[in-house]
Amino acid sequence: NSTTGHPSNELQTAMFNFNPNTNTDVEGQTKVLYKHPSAGWKAQTSYSWLVEVQPDQSNSGTQNIVLKINEGSKVVVDATISDVGGLAGGRMGVYCQSQQDVIWSRMATECI
């Protein structure tokens, strides 16, 4: 959760200067919750993904983020990420910085 929020130069700098090789948080701006140890995106390849956020019933103040990513019928990621402190709510979006010509399609959000 960014302490300055969006839009802000601090959040922009934290996102644009992200180095995937160091996988580090930027205090007060960004927190890396998950990085796959080896997988990357393939050009001209369709991926489907699902993100669900649920309270952790056994640990108050913690949320579990279920992340599932498929490349066709092949499961690329099936992970549950524990997020202590959880999400504050608000905006959700997708972001791509390092690839050209990305197409986002058939996107939907649902709050249940």
Side-chain angles (χ1 to χ4, degrees), residues 47-54 65-70 77-79 81 92 108 110:
Y47 294 88
S48 61
W49 50 278
L50 171 72
V51 178
E52 291 182 344
V53 180
Q54 306 161 346
I65 302 170
V66 176
L67 174 63
K68 297 181 182 184
I69 302 176
N70 285 9
V77 174
D78 187 357
I81 303 135
M92 180 185 160
E110 181 179 352

Side-chain angles (χ1 to χ4, degrees), residues 46-47 49 102-108:
S46 179
Y47 294 88
W49 50 278
V102 172
I103 298 171
W104 301 98
S105 63
R106 296 176 41 192
M107 296 181 65

